Amino acid sequence: MNQRYVQAVRHYADFMLEHAGDRYGSVSTPLFADGLHAVTHEPVKWRSQGEAWIVSNLANQQNWLRTLDGLSGLTGLSRYRERAEDTVRYALDRLRYGKLLCWGGHMAFDLQTKRQIFASDKGPQHELKCHYPYYELMNRVDPNETAAYIEALWESHVTDWSSLEFSRHGQPAPAGRAAVSHGAEASVWEKEYAGSPVFFTGKGLTFINAGSDLYYAAGMLHRFTGQEQPLQWGIRLAERYAATRHPDTGLGGYQFSISVLPGVRGDRAIDQFGEQLKEHEPMEATLSVARQVHTIIGEAALCRMVLSETLGGAGAPFRELAVQDLLAYGRYSYDFADQSIHPVLTNGTRLTRLIMEKSGYYGKQGEALQARKADLLLLWSYAMGFRLSGNGRLWDIARSMGQGLGLGDIESGSGAPSGLNLAFRCSDPVGIFAALELYRATGRGKFLQLAQRIGDQLLVHRYHRSLFMPSPRHAYAKLDALEPLALLHLTAELQGGAPVPRYCGGKSFFAAAYDGHGHETDNTFIYGAVRG
């Protein structure tokens, strides 16, 4: 069966190598289009200001690069890995935005005109939010340029090193300011850190989805070079979120600063709930709605835990911080009764079904704040937290989540999980990662069978005409599909743990103004569209 998984991934990779590769304009490159039409195989086009861009966004192709690299590792066929390396080599040489890369949430490259493009409603801005790039491949291709990029990432986004205030949007540092520590110039890491109290007023939005990309990159640079300074700064940044924790609950915030732009906006939680919840003194750093809770204990927690495993003992602080968040939110936000995560203030007050008295960032007047059903990514996160910490409370929460998802009872004893529902209907690739994590945490073969069951359903429901898509009716196939990487991880486990590039829950997106529609995001606007 595992060869069937690999064959599907090979067919997909070969198809994309043939049809998604750059053959546009006057010169070809080793780059790829972000996606293809499911029937015509024409590249995805983004229409902006009268132009039709053939978008190539390398930040949104990291699962594709992991898949190519992993496929070579499992098959011994070097051509897939070599193609991934060629792409990264070209990007490090040609797709630069200062010392940054032209990629991310609002920047990309147009294969038709061979020029950099950016969101017309944002301007040229570098942004990573839970992208978690495949830095290992970048470092293998060019260690110096990888280090230069990671240092430029910090230099361009951190606006005040003494407090670690940063902006999710970055521009290249002025000439002469950015420096690389592998050269003769002074290191960008040689800054003063005051560790001043959190909840300070600043201009940046210190969201954890952007902050986690910063500390992930710093941790990886430590792994590559052995430098202590990047690791120290990465841990400091992760600890800024921990510093927002309420002393009674241990709940930390989605950001650690109060965001105010004079004449533009104030803190959005204060603006919207300052009167309605005045006894709680709400602010963005102490109020998390369900999607933000999901990021804290989902993507950002997985990022920290994978980073801790990657770094070994040096990464222990990341693991401890993640586990503490899992425990606190598991107590105050997660509800065993409905298997959902609830919007919550860091003092432990739940805000589910709160009718908003004023319109704002969190919703319109008259709408209610809602809970969100725990999903497979949260199950994966809590299972990993249990494996790394041995804390039984995390297993109890994972067990409850599994029941809510239809998995049956994964049980708490050391025996086989007889209550597990192996007829579980699921084709979500995240389910494979969750099931494999349950298997690694317990050693119980039933969980490996579950992963196979999901893999089999994935091939039936998400593999169509050599493309991976949510359904055969979807109009476009995304190059960065997670399905093939999940199948490679399943195959590797079935073969005894063969190495496949790690994935830690990252998500890719491109968001910009689209002619006639306003600001849109590709994952919903393009890849969520179905054919009539």
Side-chain angles (χ1 to χ4, degrees):
M1 180 59 72
N2 56 326
Q3 289 307 309
R4 183 169 161 233
Y5 302 145
V6 173
Q7 279 299 109
V9 176
R10 281 192 62 186
H11 287 157
Y12 160 77
D14 290 339
F15 188 92
M16 284 299 195
L17 286 171
E18 178 181 356
H19 293 281
D22 181 15
R23 58 187 186 278
Y24 312 102
S26 58
V27 180
S28 63
T29 73
L31 301 177
F32 295 92
D34 274 7
L36 299 176
H37 190 276
V39 177
T40 67
H41 307 149
E42 288 296 305
V44 165
K45 294 181 180 179
W46 195 274
R47 301 188 182 280
S48 177
Q49 297 181 308
E51 298 180 334
W53 301 333
I54 300 177
V55 176
S56 179
N57 188 341
L58 197 63
N60 293 354
Q61 299 177 9
Q62 297 299 297
N63 291 335
W64 165 243
L65 298 176
R66 289 181 173 101
T67 296
L68 291 176
D69 200 12
L71 193 55
S72 285
L74 287 176
T75 65
L77 299 172
S78 62
R79 66 177 182 270
Y80 301 110
R81 175 172 293 150
E82 290 168 356
R83 189 68 171 83
E85 291 173 346
D86 288 344
T87 300
V88 170
R89 187 174 295 109
Y90 181 89
L92 289 173
D93 182 48
R94 304 289 295 276
L95 301 188
R96 304 311 286 261
Y97 175 48
K99 292 191 177 185
L100 296 165
L101 284 166
C102 177
W103 69 357
H106 304 303
M107 295 189 72
F109 188 75
D110 177 22
L111 296 181
Q112 183 65 49
T113 62
K114 301 298 186 290
R115 64 184 175 88
Q116 296 184 7
I117 53 177
F118 53 85
S120 61
D121 54 338
K122 296 285 186 180
Q125 298 183 97
H126 181 276
E127 178 185 79
L128 294 181
K129 292 197 298 191
C130 294
H131 280 81
Y132 314 139
Y134 186 21
Y135 288 117
E136 295 94 331
L137 177 60
M138 291 173 61
N139 187 69
R140 192 166 72 225
V141 169
D142 194 324
N144 287 340
E145 288 303 322
T146 300
Y149 168 76
I150 292 174
E151 293 182 337
L153 173 69
W154 274 71
E155 185 78 354
S156 63
H157 285 266
V158 176
T159 57
D160 184 348
W161 288 76
S162 67
S163 66
L164 276 177
E165 180 184 3
F166 68 87
S167 171
R168 71 195 191 283
H169 294 148
Q171 285 80 33
R177 193 181 96 191
V180 290
S181 59
H182 57 273
E185 301 178 53
S187 169
V188 301
W189 309 106
E190 294 176 1
K191 304 288 196 303
E192 294 294 325
Y193 178 63
S196 54
V198 292
F199 307 132
F200 57 85
T201 299
K203 297 180 180 179
L205 291 163
T206 53
F207 295 155
I208 197 171
N209 57 1
S212 58
D213 255 301
L214 285 167
Y215 57 65
Y216 182 74
M220 295 305 291
L221 183 58
H222 167 76
R223 179 192 177 193
F224 301 146
T225 66
Q227 293 175 272
E228 290 298 326
Q229 287 177 310
L231 176 64
Q232 186 179 41
W233 281 105
I235 292 172
R236 284 170 176 166
L237 180 55
E239 289 175 340
R240 295 303 271 165
Y241 297 96
T244 68
R245 289 173 178 165
H246 192 280
D248 296 330
T249 66
L251 290 170
Y254 190 75
Q255 63 189 68
F256 55 82
S257 61
I258 301 172
S259 305
V260 175
L261 289 178
V264 180
R265 65 153 195 274
D267 182 280
R268 293 174 295 191
I270 296 175
D271 288 348
Q272 190 167 359
F273 297 111
E275 284 298 318
Q276 186 175 1
L277 298 173
K278 61 184 176 182
E279 71 273 20
H280 298 292
E281 298 181 350
M283 64 181 77
E284 284 189 72
T286 63
L287 189 158
S288 294
V289 293
R291 61 177 172 77
Q292 294 171 321
V293 173
H294 188 280
T295 301
I296 293 170
I297 60 175
E299 293 89 346
L302 284 166
C303 162
R304 284 173 285 175
M305 290 187 287
V306 170
L307 189 56
S308 75
E309 285 197 292
T310 300
L311 300 181
F318 294 110
R319 179 189 68 243
E320 293 166 4
L321 292 169
V323 167
Q324 290 161 6
D325 279 342
L326 293 175
L327 288 168
Y329 276 93
R331 179 179 180 183
Y332 291 98
S333 176
Y334 181 73
D335 196 317
F336 281 74
D338 60 11
Q339 291 95 19
S340 297
I341 52 174
H342 291 254
V344 66
L345 293 167
T346 56
N347 67 8
T349 302
R350 284 192 185 175
L351 302 176
T352 311
R353 293 184 293 278
L354 177 74
I355 304 298
M356 289 173 275
E357 298 176 356
K358 182 180 179 182
S359 296
Y361 173 70
Y362 297 92
K364 296 180 180 179
Q365 181 182 10
E367 294 179 342
L369 295 179
Q370 299 293 337
R372 173 175 173 175
K373 200 77 172 178
D375 59 15
L376 288 162
L377 189 124
L378 292 185
L379 173 62
W380 177 22
S381 183
Y382 273 84
M384 184 182 292
F386 168 73
R387 176 173 63 83
L388 295 180
S389 71
N391 190 301
R393 180 63 176 173
L394 299 182
W395 182 262
D396 292 342
I397 296 170
R399 184 180 182 183
S400 171
M401 289 179 174
Q403 292 171 332
L405 288 164
L407 276 171
D409 191 357
I410 63 176
E411 300 191 13
S412 58
S414 59
S418 57
L420 184 65
N421 176 22
L422 286 177
F424 178 54
R425 298 186 64 179
C426 173
S427 61
D428 188 335
V430 177
I432 293 177
F433 289 101
L436 291 177
E437 192 60 57
L438 291 168
Y439 172 64
R440 293 173 188 136
T442 65
R444 301 175 191 170
K446 287 286 187 182
F447 291 124
L448 188 55
Q449 292 180 39
L450 175 65
Q452 290 179 270
R453 164 73 178 166
I454 298 171
D456 294 345
Q457 293 179 83
L458 187 157
L459 288 180
V460 171
H461 298 291
R462 290 177 175 250
Y463 183 58
H464 311 286
R465 302 179 299 278
S466 298
L467 296 171
F468 286 99
M469 300 179 293
S471 80
R473 294 188 59 235
H474 274 71
Y476 294 95
K478 189 173 185 178
L479 182 71
D480 206 43
L482 182 58
E483 288 88 346
L485 184 58
L487 291 176
L488 292 185
H489 274 265
L490 175 55
T491 301
E493 196 65 58
L494 292 169
Q495 294 182 354
V500 175
R502 291 291 296 268
Y503 167 71
C504 57
K507 54 188 179 184
S508 59
F509 72 95
F510 177 70
Y514 192 100
D515 287 352
H517 293 270
H519 191 79
E520 296 287 355
T521 301
D522 62 349
N523 287 331
T524 52
F525 185 68
I526 300 290
Y527 302 109
V530 296
R531 290 177 285 120

